[in-house]
């Protein structure tokens, strides 16, 4: 209850300090004047009466300080004094302040830029792909015997279709295979090498990435074996379509040759889209083609759909489904696809589930880069902290005389410590602001 009663007084003390100071000084003057008149009435001269009144009233400055303490807002005056003293000290020692702020800026700016680059390259989804935790990458692993080492494998078409039947776990299951291809759009440049992906028709829908233009693939995802004219279609990247036809939308309906096979452009990928996974290499995928057309375009046996297990598979999880549950379902699907002869010799399969934008454990080179950048960041922080602490200690040693004088005048050790903390906070804020400015410039 006392807290609620004192709240209005504290608010007034914070926002009406000038008025309260004026009222306090006027009240004390009134007390002195009344005491003076009382002593004058006793026969003293006015000067003697004034001195007697002051002796009776006490130390005015001390009483004012006690009144400010009673209001609970003395810390505002002390903070203002600390700030004023700190800026006066900085004005007298511009060089040491500039060096400390500069070291702060280099350490904070470089580390912030480094962490930002690391996050953008390793911890964010691929461009245009939504940052949706429901999107997961399913990675199978296999070992030939019970004592053999695990090695990565892909999904076969049959396994992908079996995975898609678990509608309680997935709302979408899609896959792709990457290939190099030769694109001939009939322009003056002629054939050129491009990156292509053979994808299931629900690839873009599963990712939640709408096409920039065109109807896209209309074939049902479960009917991967069908071979009709709709298979010989492609979604083209926005960048290469713009390069070929000036205006990207002019590519819709055009027929191009992919590995000398006529293919009709039925859609445009959004600008900047590279695929389901962030492409750490400079090359971008330029074409997305239905996976059922792989036999014709990639010149592989038509039996690859049943014999090959090389598809990368991702899915969109149903609400409330965990990665562990998904991995168990995937492992069940993979185990069922094992022939009895393989099971008898000890062959087994398992699966791992990752967020689609996670850094994959088998990406050895990427993990090495990630680790190296982390070590560099820690070393930068260590060097920055060591240099700043050394400079602060050197500055404190140079101020021994000043601190000794303040202690001799009655300042407490806590008061001196608070002054030094105020100065350190100002330097840290200034260094942080300069570091963020440097980070912005480095990122640009």
């Amino acid at each position: 209850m006392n807290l609620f009663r004192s709240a209005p007084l504290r608010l007034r003390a914070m926002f009406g300090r000038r008025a309260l100071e004026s009222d306090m000084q006027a009240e004390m003057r009134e007390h002195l004047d009344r005491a003076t008149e009382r002593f004058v009435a006793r026969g003293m001269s006015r000067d003697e009466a004034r001195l007697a009144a002051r002796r009776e009233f006490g130390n005015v400055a001390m009483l004012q300080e006690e009144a400010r303490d009673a209001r609970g807002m003395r810390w505002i005056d002390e903070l203002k004094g600390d700030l004023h003293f700190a800026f006066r000290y900085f004005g007298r020692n511009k060089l040491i302040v500039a060096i400390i702020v500069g070291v702060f800026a280099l350490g904070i700016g470089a580390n912030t830029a480094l962490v930002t680059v690391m996050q953008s390259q390793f911890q964010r989804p691929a461009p245009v792909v939504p940052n949706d935790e429901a999107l997961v990458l399913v990675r199978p692993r296999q070992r030939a015997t019970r004592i053999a080492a695990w090695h990565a494998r892909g999904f076969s078409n049959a396994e992908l279709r079996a995975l898609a039947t678990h509608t309680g776990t997935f709302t979408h299951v899609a896959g792709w295979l990457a290939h190099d291809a030769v694109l001939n759009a009939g322009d003056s440049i002629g054939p050129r090498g491009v990156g292509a992906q053979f994808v299931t028709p629900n690839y873009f829908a599963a990712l939640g990435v709408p096409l920039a233009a065109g109807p896209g693939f209309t074939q049902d995802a479960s009917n991967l074996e069908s071979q009709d004219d709709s298979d010989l279609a492609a979604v083209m990247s926005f960048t290469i379509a713009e390069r070929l036809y000036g205006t990207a939308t002019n590519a819709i309906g055009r027929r191009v040759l992919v590995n000398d096979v006529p293919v009709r452009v039925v859609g445009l990928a959004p600008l900047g889209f590279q695929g389901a996974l962030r492409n750490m290499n400079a090359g971008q995928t330029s074409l997305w083609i239905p996976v059922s057309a792989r036999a014709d375009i990639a010149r592989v046996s038509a039996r690859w759909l049943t014999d090959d297990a090389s598809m990368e598979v991702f899915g969109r999880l149903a609400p409330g489904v965990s990665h562990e549950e998904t991995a168990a379902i995937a492992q069940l699907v993979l185990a069922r696809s094992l022939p009895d002869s393989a099971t008898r010799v000890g062959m087994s399969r398992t699966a791992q589930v990752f967020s689609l934008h996670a850094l994959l454990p088998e990406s050895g080179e990427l993990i090495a880069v990630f680790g190296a950048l982390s070590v560099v960041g820690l070393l930068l922080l260590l060097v920055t902290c060591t240099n700043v602490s050394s400079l602060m200690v050197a500055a404190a040693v140079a101020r021994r005389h000043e601190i000794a004088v303040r202690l001799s005048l009655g300042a407490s050790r806590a008061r001196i410590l608070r002054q030094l903390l105020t100065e350190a906070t100002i330097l840290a804020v200034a260094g942080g602001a300069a570091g963020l400015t440097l980070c912005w410039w480095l990122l640009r």
Side-chain angles (χ1 to χ4, degrees):
M1 192 65 182
N2 291 334
L3 178 62
F4 290 106
R5 286 178 178 175
S6 63
L9 296 176
R10 290 182 179 275
L11 289 174
R12 187 185 175 202
M14 182 179 294
F15 298 106
R17 295 178 61 253
R18 288 187 178 180
L20 286 175
E21 287 287 325
S22 178
D23 292 345
M24 179 178 64
Q25 292 175 8
E27 185 177 352
M28 288 183 175
R29 280 196 303 270
E30 184 179 354
H31 280 289
L32 286 172
D33 290 342
R34 288 181 180 180
T36 301
E37 294 300 328
R38 190 171 65 251
F39 285 116
V40 169
R42 294 178 184 177
M44 291 184 181
S45 66
R46 184 159 292 277
D47 291 338
E48 291 175 343
R50 173 67 66 178
L51 290 173
R54 284 185 176 276
R55 285 195 297 270
E56 183 185 66
F57 190 75
N59 190 319
V60 175
M62 184 176 295
L63 291 172
Q64 288 177 346
E65 289 297 324
E66 291 176 355
R68 294 186 185 107
D69 288 341
R71 293 200 302 261
M73 290 296 153
R74 183 178 177 181
W75 63 271
I76 296 179
D77 295 316
E78 292 180 346
L79 179 60
K80 286 177 61 178
D82 290 341
L83 293 173
H84 182 67
F85 189 89
F87 284 113
R88 283 173 54 196
Y89 170 73
F90 294 156
R92 294 194 305 268
N93 299 272
K94 297 182 179 66
L95 180 60
I96 188 69
V97 170
I99 294 174
I100 291 174
V101 172
V103 173
F104 261 130
L106 287 173
I108 294 173
N111 269 282
T112 305
L114 190 64
V115 170
T116 303
V117 170
M118 289 167 62
Q119 182 186 19
S120 66
Q121 296 298 326
F122 300 112
Q123 299 176 3
R124 289 183 181 175
V128 185
V129 176
N131 190 3
D132 190 346
E133 290 299 326
L135 287 172
V136 295
L137 185 70
V138 185
R139 281 289 176 91
R141 294 191 304 165
Q142 178 176 290
R143 61 182 180 183
T145 64
R146 291 184 179 86
I147 60 173
W150 292 101
H151 66 272
R153 74 185 291 271
F155 276 96
S156 68
N157 170 54
E159 291 165 345
L160 184 151
R161 294 173 65 188
L163 205 61
T165 61
H166 291 270
T167 54
T169 303
F170 298 98
T171 58
H172 288 88
V173 176
W176 81 92
L177 301 94
H179 273 272
D180 291 329
V182 176
L183 171 66
N184 189 343
D187 59 346
S188 58
I189 297 178
R192 74 201 73 195
V194 296
Q197 287 185 0
F198 292 96
V199 301
T200 54
N202 65 337
Y203 178 84
F204 290 95
L207 283 176
V209 175
L211 295 180
F217 307 129
T218 57
Q219 179 187 345
D220 184 79
S222 62
N223 187 23
L224 299 183
E225 291 89 347
S226 65
Q227 297 289 336
D228 56 31
D229 186 63
S230 65
D231 295 337
L232 301 181
V235 170
M236 184 175 284
S237 77
F238 196 96
T239 303
I240 196 167
E242 198 169 45
R243 192 181 304 156
L244 289 172
Y245 304 109
T247 302
T249 53
N250 290 339
I252 301 298
R254 299 288 185 107
R255 288 192 176 273
V256 296
L257 296 179
V258 181
N259 292 351
D260 294 327
V261 177
V263 172
R264 182 166 51 89
V265 178
V266 296
L268 280 181
L271 181 63
F273 181 73
Q274 300 175 1
L277 299 179
R278 176 171 289 277
N279 187 357
M280 295 302 297
N281 299 318
Q284 296 183 359
T285 303
S286 299
L287 294 170
W288 290 267
I289 304 168
V291 72
S292 54
R294 184 185 176 218
D296 292 330
I297 294 177
R299 304 288 198 273
V300 297
S301 169
R303 296 187 58 185
W304 79 269
L305 279 171
T306 55
D307 297 343
D308 198 358
S310 56
M311 296 182 69
E312 295 277 1
V313 168
F314 70 92
R316 183 179 291 274
L317 298 183
V321 178
S322 68
H323 287 196
E324 291 75 16
E325 294 173 301
T326 308
I329 292 295
Q331 184 169 345
L332 179 63
V333 168
L334 291 166
R336 286 177 177 174
S337 67
L338 267 175
D340 292 338
S341 58
T343 306
R344 284 195 295 270
V345 298
M347 181 179 287
S348 56
R349 292 171 182 168
T350 185
Q352 295 175 299
V353 177
F354 308 94
S355 293
L356 198 60
H357 58 271
L359 183 63
L360 302 178
E362 65 268 24
S363 304
E365 293 182 4
L366 299 186
I367 292 178
V369 172
F370 186 86
L373 291 177
S374 300
V375 170
V376 169
L378 289 174
L379 288 175
L380 279 173
L381 283 177
L382 179 62
V383 170
T384 300
C385 293
T386 303
N387 279 283
V388 169
S389 61
S390 300
L391 290 168
M392 295 292 286
V393 169
V397 169
R399 299 175 66 180
R400 284 181 300 177
H401 178 70
E402 171 200 323
I403 293 173
V405 170
R406 293 187 66 187
L407 290 171
S408 66
L409 292 175
S412 65
R413 292 183 180 275
R415 189 74 178 81
I416 299 295
L417 180 61
R418 191 172 66 189
Q419 176 66 48
L420 296 176
L421 285 176
T422 301
E423 294 173 3
T425 302
I426 294 172
L427 291 173
V429 171
L436 292 177
T437 304
L438 176 63
C439 170
W440 173 81
W441 180 79
L442 289 173
L443 291 176
R444 286 179 63 85

